[in-house]
Amino acid sequence: MSDKFIYDEVPYPSFTFPQTHPDRLTTLARLYGLDTAKAERSRVLELGCGDGTNLISSAYSLPESNFIGIDLSSHHIAMANETAKHLGLTNIAFRQADVTELLSSELGKFDFIIAHGLYSWVPDFVREAILNVYSECLVENGVGYISYNAYPGCHLRQICFDLLKHSTPEKKGPIERVKAGIANLRMFAEAAQDDSLVQSILALEYDQVLDRTPANIFHDEFSTTNQPFYFHEFASKISEYGFQFLSEADPASTNHAKLNEKGRKLIESVSDDIIRREQYFDFIRFTRFRRTLFCRNTIQLNRDPDPSVLMDLLISSQIKAESENTDFTDASPVKFSDSKGASVTVNHPLTKVVLNYLWSKWSRSVTFDELMAEAAQILGPQGIDIEQRDRTAAFLLDLFKAGMVQLHTYQAPFADLAGAHPRVSDFARWQIENGGQSVTTLTGGNLEVKDIMQRAMIVLLDGTLSREDLESKLGDLLEVPDDQQEEFLSQLPQMIELSLKHLAKSGLLVR
């Protein structure tokens, strides 16, 4: 069966990838000295767009930008067009097409071109066609994004690839093959010698497989083509088409600060060679997947950005002081943690004040000048002299590289507070209505939603319901035992307010 019909029979699951959002691309470009088109007024092409979910998430949040999605599967394209129509989007179009037959003269030029989950899973001649599209259609100051399976980590993954495919009869249907393959992977992991390297590898792969959907596993592990690359191989290939490495779309994924002392020294020994440096990192961390950004090799990049670049960007963070009753104005150490469990201890008063203010404003982003103005109210002018400002800026840049601070080039349009008739973004409501386990915020991030009441609230908040309406509908929707009904109804107004506050804080409410 051809790839086209495989994707028609088993559609690729719906995902959004925040790393591909134009805000992320413009921010990283700005950080390294590349001035791109504005995220909110750009032209974006996605190759292998699947059912369009990822591209639609950006199109919904950036109504003045234009988007085009290309996919081989007519089923995917039909689904994408249906969703775009349902959401009333007029700034996006989808085309069913073979990437090897695309004509650049018909496509035009784009500020950003993205291809997620495509490059490693197509034959060599298709990869060449993909890079040719980038070469012909990306504007001079544009940014390209390509994700791919990477070595050396995928040497281990290939053990799983082979085991899943070769231990499962091909006569079974796609999803049945996946389920049988997972069962076999567990069987082999349990059969391996206790505490052996083989058992550890198989157990690790089994745990990672369980976190994904059967359709995702089928199109990845069971794919007839699944070619990983060493980073230096990918960098060499894009160089043939006139491109250079810009950055990883997730800078925290290759943050050298994560390494031990010997690892950092090894990386520093090749600091003047960006390709070698990134490849050394992959060898040390056994990288298995990359999301690489690149640009024209005619661009002069700044590989060591100065903290002053923050003056031209917006800043946000949800790291929070672990103790609520904390004095941020002295030099005592304060531990800040984020929702993912990462933490940092800070004793610099200005930085502590700034981090606390960012938490109070989350998920809104603010300028560096606003941070300093707020800090001046607390510390006085003597606490924010040039030396102190520079120290805080450098620390914020380090936290960005560690994934604990976010940088942006534009302010996402969402409501800070829930009004009389609050409304969640139509795209987030569509995601929940279609069984999604997470929603995409208006800031471009993904938020997992497991709570039953929260999921119900998202669907209900279409901008027409008052608090009283919500109480009535939630009381009918949520199943509560008879003996708990009275207590539940008495607490429901407070629960609604807390939920609305969380939705607003997450960047899900429309103005």
Side-chain angles (χ1 to χ4, degrees):
M1 184 181 293
S2 71
D3 288 343
K4 175 180 178 179
F5 293 111
I6 287 175
Y7 281 94
D8 284 346
E9 181 181 352
V10 185
Y12 195 82
S14 300
F15 293 116
T16 60
F17 307 104
Q19 299 88 350
T20 69
H21 193 282
D23 179 43
R24 177 76 64 94
L25 306 182
T26 55
T27 297
L28 286 166
R30 182 82 58 82
L31 193 66
Y32 294 104
L34 172 57
D35 189 18
T36 65
K38 292 184 177 181
E40 59 271 38
R41 291 183 180 84
S42 57
R43 196 160 188 259
V44 185
L45 171 67
E46 182 172 15
L47 303 175
C49 66
D51 68 2
T53 299
N54 181 56
L55 204 61
I56 287 171
S57 70
S58 293
Y60 181 84
S61 64
L62 300 170
E64 293 185 47
S65 291
N66 288 286
F67 301 81
I68 294 179
I70 305 292
D71 199 87
L72 182 63
S73 167
S74 57
H75 182 61
H76 275 159
I77 294 301
M79 294 172 68
N81 281 321
E82 182 179 345
T83 302
K85 182 179 180 181
H86 172 76
L87 294 172
L89 299 179
T90 59
N91 62 334
I92 192 167
F94 294 98
R95 286 177 50 188
Q96 187 275 320
D98 186 328
V99 70
T100 63
E101 299 173 358
L102 290 175
L103 297 176
S104 58
S105 58
E106 294 181 0
L107 289 172
K109 296 288 186 177
F110 296 88
D111 301 297
F112 309 107
I113 302 178
I114 57 182
H116 186 92
L118 180 66
Y119 192 78
S120 280
W121 296 269
V122 293
D124 287 339
F125 74 95
V126 179
R127 278 190 280 273
E128 299 291 342
I130 290 170
L131 292 176
N132 193 56
V133 171
Y134 281 85
S135 178
E136 295 185 358
C137 296
L138 193 66
V139 298
E140 288 303 309
N141 63 334
V143 174
Y145 166 109
I146 291 180
S147 70
Y148 50 97
N149 278 336
Y151 286 134
C154 272
H155 281 302
L156 294 183
R157 282 193 75 188
Q158 283 183 310
I159 298 173
C160 176
F161 296 160
D162 294 341
L163 193 155
L164 286 169
K165 286 191 286 190
H166 292 293
S167 66
T168 310
E170 291 192 16
K171 63 182 179 181
K172 290 179 176 290
I175 302 305
E176 288 73 20
R177 285 192 70 198
V178 170
K179 292 180 179 178
I182 293 174
N184 287 338
L185 181 57
R186 178 179 180 180
M187 176 181 68
F188 283 112
E190 292 175 344
Q193 183 70 34
D194 288 345
D195 300 322
S196 66
L197 178 60
V198 173
Q199 186 182 65
S200 298
I201 291 172
L202 294 180
L204 173 65
E205 295 303 324
Y206 176 71
D207 289 342
Q208 299 218 5
V209 162
L210 285 184
D211 286 337
R212 293 156 53 210
T213 66
N216 178 262
I217 295 168
F218 176 73
H219 289 299
D220 196 345
E221 275 79 355
F222 284 84
S223 175
T224 55
T225 303
N226 188 338
Q227 179 60 59
F229 299 92
Y230 283 103
F231 172 75
H232 73 85
E233 293 176 326
F234 181 79
S236 177
K237 176 55 69 174
I238 62 173
S239 178
E240 294 176 15
Y241 286 82
F243 294 110
Q244 62 177 321
F245 172 66
L246 172 63
S247 165
E248 283 301 290
D250 181 6
S253 67
T254 56
N255 182 19
H256 305 151
K258 294 180 178 180
L259 305 177
N260 61 28
E261 183 179 356
K262 289 185 176 180
R264 290 194 296 272
K265 285 184 177 180
L266 180 58
I267 295 297
E268 289 169 6
S269 71
V270 292
S271 59
D272 59 339
D273 186 337
I274 184 65
I275 304 304
R276 201 174 178 193
R277 188 176 76 188
E278 292 292 309
Q279 187 60 73
Y280 273 29
F281 182 90
D282 285 359
F283 281 132
I284 296 171
R285 293 298 297 267
F286 245 57
T287 301
R288 57 170 54 200
F289 190 74
R290 270 188 174 259
R291 304 173 179 89
T292 298
L293 305 184
F294 50 93
C295 63
R296 300 283 181 185
N297 57 18
T298 53
I299 303 294
Q300 185 66 41
L301 296 174
N302 177 13
R303 295 293 183 187
D304 187 21
D306 188 275
S308 62
V309 71
L310 297 187
M311 310 306 165
D312 295 325
L313 295 169
L314 296 167
I315 308 164
S316 66
S317 179
Q318 62 178 138
I319 62 173
K320 181 182 180 182
E322 292 198 349
S323 175
E324 293 186 5
N325 299 315
T326 300
D327 183 2
F328 299 105
T329 62
D330 60 20
S332 59
V334 175
K335 187 176 183 181
F336 291 83
S337 301
D338 67 14
S339 59
K340 299 177 181 178
S343 63
V344 62
T345 299
V346 185
N347 60 10
H348 183 232
L350 176 57
T351 303
K352 290 190 294 183
V353 169
V354 161
L355 291 178
N356 186 56
Y357 183 69
L358 287 172
W359 159 250
S360 72
K361 291 297 183 180
W362 174 261
S363 56
R364 182 159 298 284
S365 52
V366 301
T367 65
F368 189 81
D369 285 344
E370 182 179 337
L371 290 176
M372 293 302 103
E374 174 66 21
Q377 297 294 319
I378 299 172
L379 298 173
Q382 71 278 4
I384 56 169
D385 59 28
I386 293 177
E387 181 182 351
Q388 301 303 321
R389 283 170 59 102
D390 290 348
R391 182 176 173 182
T392 294
F395 196 77
L396 289 175
L397 188 57
D398 285 342
L399 288 181
F400 167 73
K401 294 175 182 178
M404 300 179 72
V405 159
Q406 289 77 52
L407 301 177
H408 311 272
T409 56
Y410 89 112
Q411 182 65 262
F414 63 90
D416 293 299
L417 300 172
H421 296 82
R423 176 186 165 201
V424 165
S425 84
D426 293 340
F427 182 70
R429 291 175 54 239
W430 173 85
Q431 287 177 293
I432 294 296
E433 289 171 343
N434 285 271
Q437 296 303 304
S438 64
V439 294
T440 304
T441 69
L442 290 166
T443 59
N446 283 337
L447 177 69
E448 193 170 11
V449 185
K450 292 183 178 180
D451 182 76
I452 295 176
M453 178 174 169
Q454 196 93 85
R455 294 177 67 85
M457 286 273 289
I458 289 174
V459 173
L460 289 173
L461 292 176
D462 62 357
T464 66
L465 303 180
S466 65
R467 303 296 198 281
E468 292 75 15
D469 296 329
L470 287 171
E471 287 181 40
S472 175
K473 288 186 177 293
L474 286 170
D476 294 336
L477 283 174
L478 301 177
E479 296 181 4
V480 180
D482 292 340
D483 60 344
Q484 298 177 22
Q485 275 283 346
E486 184 176 348
E487 181 181 4
F488 168 74
L489 292 175
S490 67
Q491 296 178 353
L492 188 55
Q494 183 181 5
M495 293 166 62
I496 289 174
E497 287 306 320
L498 288 173
S499 184
L500 288 172
K501 184 177 180 180
H502 174 69
L503 292 173
K505 194 81 170 170
S506 300
L508 280 166
L509 296 184
V510 177
R511 287 177 181 170

